Amino acid sequence: MTPEQLLALEPGRELNRLVALKVMGYEQSRFQVGYVRKGAYATYPKHYSSDISAAWEVVERFPIVNLSRIEIFEGNYHHAVEIYADSETNEPSMVEAHTAPEAICKAALLAVMDKEE
């Protein structure tokens, strides 16, 4: 998936699934479409892209996936999130979105994608 395709995703099931797989350490369920699994249990991913408490779980996961810092800026009609990889020399992954959960999820995914390259 390209960064442009990722940024075009609306908050919802697919964005939540990508966060669960790429950031939160879940695996794709082989038995049920749309489900992820951790250990023996398959479940739908949490609402990371629309629920702020679930989005904060993504932020809490950053040390495990080697992301060092997050900055959140709140405006009247949008939120901006910058996520830095573990080196200060790296450019941040920055996303603007209508809600903080959406911005957190997309920025985290972009940062993880950058580290995979």
Side-chain angles (χ1 to χ4, degrees):
M1 175 174 285
T2 67
E4 293 78 19
Q5 292 170 320
L6 173 67
L7 293 172
L9 286 175
E10 294 293 324
R13 213 176 254 182
E14 181 61 15
L15 186 54
N16 296 336
R17 188 183 72 78
L18 288 171
V19 169
L21 295 172
K22 301 278 187 185
V23 180
M24 300 304 290
Y26 284 80
E27 296 176 0
Q28 180 66 49
S29 173
R30 293 177 282 155
F31 306 108
Q32 296 169 305
V33 175
Y35 279 69
V36 294
R37 74 179 176 83
K38 202 170 210 175
Y41 300 100
T43 184
Y44 276 118
K46 290 185 178 183
H47 298 276
Y48 300 112
S49 62
S50 60
D51 177 7
I52 192 64
S53 64
W56 277 114
E57 291 180 29
V58 174
V59 173
E60 291 169 355
R61 179 103 172 134
F62 286 179
I64 296 167
V65 292
N66 294 323
L67 300 175
S68 65
R69 192 172 91 221
I70 182 171
E71 295 182 12
I72 301 175
F73 307 95
E74 185 175 356
N76 290 335
Y77 301 104
H78 73 280
H79 292 75
V81 172
E82 290 182 349
I83 296 178
Y84 293 82
D86 42 18
S87 170
E88 288 297 323
T89 60
N90 290 342
E91 289 293 314
S93 297
M94 183 178 173
V95 173
E96 290 187 12
H98 293 292
T99 66
E102 177 185 2
I104 289 168
C105 289
K106 289 181 177 179
L109 284 167
L110 285 175
V112 170
M113 286 170 57
D114 284 346
K115 290 178 80 71
E116 288 177 347
E117 291 179 351

